């Protein structure tokens, strides 16, 4: 399963992207299609002595989309941007999956326009995997749709449940809405109406959960609009950073805690790998007829490696096909009920 | 400055509430009016040998509002609920400020209905103080208004700035909108329109910040709707809890880290006091003609003590009057510009 990697995505592109992709090719035997300005990408590849022996092709994409450019530009003036060329390769048979650590909005739009939507789905959603105290949970939408209607949230619930069955192997994933109170009456108009609609579906809908329950493992699929989902993820990221700094301050206060810190540091680093969104991997674009994973813009080479391996696994498992068949078999509402 | 304390608010009422209130009366010489079912409150008071020597009155409020009841019930069938009687005491001169650790929605509505709104303000907002790496920031609305229009966010920005001047002593507080991208074009319709309106005001408006910047100290006043604000706070709470548990697991893996944990534990407890919303104190209801502070439902006795002391300080400083005069002198938009 060849993975097309957008070599220009992310804060450390192309260096960290190529480094992580090469690691995935080397350690996971993943054939690659690296997409970006050919000379720049090939110069990066030359830094790895074994690159020539790995199954790595390069596709030229001379245009780079800046992080501050509107994502819809990939539909108009920037159809030769690396993310678009990567998706085109996947639709034309030159690759089986796409990974990008860049501009998530542009990646979602490129995947939507290149792969097309699954039947019954009006909007693609980004599905992040959160570490919980008891395992993992899927949060969607993580930022693809800032304005949602209740039916979109219902569709995200079905998408998330299908993904949890396909990717986490759960038979009957517990689906919840993210709200500001557990009662059906709590939340904004969007959540209250989505709650009402979800109650009538075949999903294992367990109601609303509050944001302090996100990490407690009380649900397998947590549904919200992309604005709320993005805020929830980013708060978590900022919190990990603040905690690291504040704990460091507390631990530096005296000699015994400084000594404690020496012992504690490796534990914190392992912990950080478990919870840090930038480290934790990549989020699939759900609802499209193809596999496209979006990594964090700050992804390290290791996170890129993990994201590329996951993209190859999802392509091998036919994730998009399985999610599509799951939806086709489901009694998903097609209009507000 | 007498503080009317809703003795029935919160998960541990009345025991923790009375305990914390007595601490505030004892250590801060704060005169109290404890409001709740008289016999129950007096029975709690008898547990403190020195309670008779402190300036503590009890006001009977036989009706208790359950956490699962709609907050608007305090306007209709539950006007004798403890929070309403506490606010009535403050409007009738029997107290100078109100503290409740209960049902924040009901507290906001009771304060709104009892005190009335400041001129130019359409909605009261809950203003939480967040610890940041460099000090503190004010986040509002923290949950009073789940549906907002752009003008409400503009009013929250003025309220927050007035509060930051009065309570934090800042001359020109930096005001930001919480969004999912720094550019003016990023965010949902609400945020984009509020951004446009705030740019034209006299506030020191520094644009959007992302949620991972909440704790970085890049703004003094952070404005959002109550749904988003509540999610951001609750995610932070859940994260502190998850971090404690996951770090504990990591630290228990072997003997040396177990030894490290012995040294590290006191540092984590101090850190927790700095960041835990339940410990960190109470949030004023801004925009009303009176002082009403709302503590976390899980408030410990120590958090209640801190909240009551803060309520007494705010009443002594004439916080509501200062915020009102600040707004009256400001060129605050009265309709969408």
């Amino acid at each position: 399963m060849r993975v097309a990697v957008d070599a220009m995505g992310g804060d450390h592109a192309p260096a960290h992207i190529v480094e992580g992709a090469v690691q995935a090719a080397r350690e996971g035997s993943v054939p690659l299609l690296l997409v970006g300005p050919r000379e720049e990408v090939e110069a990066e590849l030359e830094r790895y002595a074994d690159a020539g022996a790995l199954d790595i092709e390069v596709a030229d994409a001379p245009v780079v989309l800046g992080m501050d450019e509107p994502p819809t530009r990939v539909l108009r003036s920037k159809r030769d941007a690396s993310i678009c060329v990567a998706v085109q390769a996947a639709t034309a048979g030159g690759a089986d999956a796409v990974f990008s650590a860049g501009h998530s909005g542009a990646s979602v739009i490129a995947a939507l326009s290149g792969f097309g939507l699954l039947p019954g789905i009006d909007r693609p959603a980004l599905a992040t995997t959160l570490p919980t105290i008891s395992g993992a949970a899927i949060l969607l939408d993580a930022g693809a749709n800032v304005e949602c209607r209740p039916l979109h949230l219902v569709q995200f619930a079905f998408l998330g449940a299908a993904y949890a069955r396909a990717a986490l192997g759960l038979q009957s994933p517990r689906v919840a809405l993210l709200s500001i109170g557990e009662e059906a009456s709590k939340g904004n108009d969007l959540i209250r109406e989505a709650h009402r609609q979800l109650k009538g579906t075949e999903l294992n809908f367990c109601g609303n959960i509050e944001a302090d329950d996100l990490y407690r493992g009380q649900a397998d699929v947590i549904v919200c609009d992309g604005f709320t989902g993005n805020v929830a993820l980013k708060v978590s990221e900022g919190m990990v950073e603040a905690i690291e700094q504040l704990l460091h301050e507390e631990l530096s206060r005296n000699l015994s805690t400084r000594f404690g810190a020496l012992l504690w540091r490796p534990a914190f680093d392992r912990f950080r790998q478990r919870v840090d969104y930038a480290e934790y991997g990549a989020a699939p674009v759900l609802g499209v007829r193809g596999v496209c994973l979006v990594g964090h813009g700050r992804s390290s080479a290791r996170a890129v490696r993990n994201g590329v391996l996951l993209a190859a696994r999802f392509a091998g498992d036919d994730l998009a096909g399985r999610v599509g068949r799951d939806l086709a078999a489901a009694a998903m509402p097609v209009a507000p009920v």
Side-chain angles (χ1 to χ4, degrees), chain A:
Chain A
M1 289 293 155
R2 187 173 301 274
V3 177
V5 176
D6 173 5
M8 303 316 287
D11 298 351
H12 312 296
H16 281 197
I17 307 296
V18 172
E19 183 185 351
V22 167
Q23 285 174 17
R26 187 189 292 140
E27 298 164 28
S29 302
V30 177
L32 295 179
L33 180 70
L34 291 178
V35 185
R38 181 178 295 276
E39 283 188 17
E40 212 175 328
V41 173
E42 288 180 343
E44 281 298 326
L45 271 178
E46 279 170 17
R47 299 172 53 183
Y48 306 94
D50 62 343
L54 299 170
D55 184 354
I56 300 179
E57 300 171 5
V58 175
D60 189 39
V63 175
V64 173
L65 182 77
M67 286 299 282
D68 53 344
E69 295 188 71
T72 46
R73 192 155 291 177
V74 298
L75 297 179
R76 297 190 305 266
S77 56
K78 298 229 164 167
R79 299 196 68 97
D80 292 333
S82 49
I83 179 63
C84 296
V85 174
V87 172
Q88 283 154 23
T91 57
D96 306 284
V98 175
F99 172 83
S100 174
H103 207 309
S104 63
S107 303
V108 170
I109 289 177
L112 165 65
S113 121
F115 293 126
L117 288 167
L118 290 170
I121 298 297
D122 293 319
R123 303 266 195 97
L126 270 172
T128 305
T129 306
L130 295 178
T132 67
I133 286 169
S134 55
I138 291 159
L139 176 84
L140 78 168
D141 175 29
N145 308 278
V146 292
E147 305 283 353
C148 292
R149 291 196 301 275
L151 187 63
H152 298 140
L153 298 197
V154 173
Q155 293 173 0
F156 297 166
F158 276 85
L159 278 173
Y163 174 52
R165 276 188 283 267
L168 303 183
L170 299 172
Q171 285 298 310
S172 179
R174 297 161 301 163
V175 177
L177 283 167
L178 180 59
S179 189
I180 62 171
E182 289 181 12
E183 301 84 358
S185 62
K186 293 282 176 73
N188 52 22
D189 295 344
L190 173 69
I191 293 294
R192 285 203 303 269
E193 176 57 20
H195 187 111
R196 200 185 66 73
Q197 293 184 23
L198 278 168
K199 267 206 309 197
T201 67
E202 69 198 32
L203 292 175
N204 181 7
F205 177 57
C206 52
N208 297 346
I209 66 166
E210 293 194 70
D212 54 347
D213 284 332
L214 273 187
Y215 296 98
R216 289 200 187 119
Q218 298 186 337
D220 304 304
V221 175
I222 299 157
V223 176
C224 58
D225 68 88
F227 186 89
T228 305
N230 196 270
V231 166
L233 287 175
K234 290 278 178 74
V235 168
S236 304
E237 272 186 75
M239 196 79 191
V240 170
E241 190 185 297
I243 280 170
E244 188 167 12
Q245 181 148 350
L246 292 171
L247 267 181
H248 179 77
E249 277 173 31
E250 291 290 348
L251 287 163
S252 304
R253 284 197 181 184
N254 61 53
L255 196 65
S256 73
T257 50
R258 249 185 244 165
F259 179 54
L262 284 179
L263 304 167
W264 154 86
R265 188 74 231 180
F268 191 88
D269 288 342
R270 280 194 305 272
F271 155 76
R272 194 187 179 116
Q273 280 185 2
R274 284 173 69 177
V275 300
D276 194 341
Y277 182 42
E279 284 297 320
Y280 196 66
V285 181
L286 292 185
V288 297
R289 299 172 192 261
V291 174
C292 178
L293 269 72
V294 181
H296 195 285
R298 287 207 325 260
S299 293
S300 64
R302 185 169 179 80
V304 171
R305 166 192 173 276
N306 294 341
V308 172
L309 291 175
L310 193 62
R313 203 194 97 197
F314 282 169
D317 290 349
D318 186 24
L319 180 77
R322 288 171 71 177
V323 168
R325 286 190 293 277
D326 195 306
L327 290 182
M332 185 167 57
V334 291
V337 285

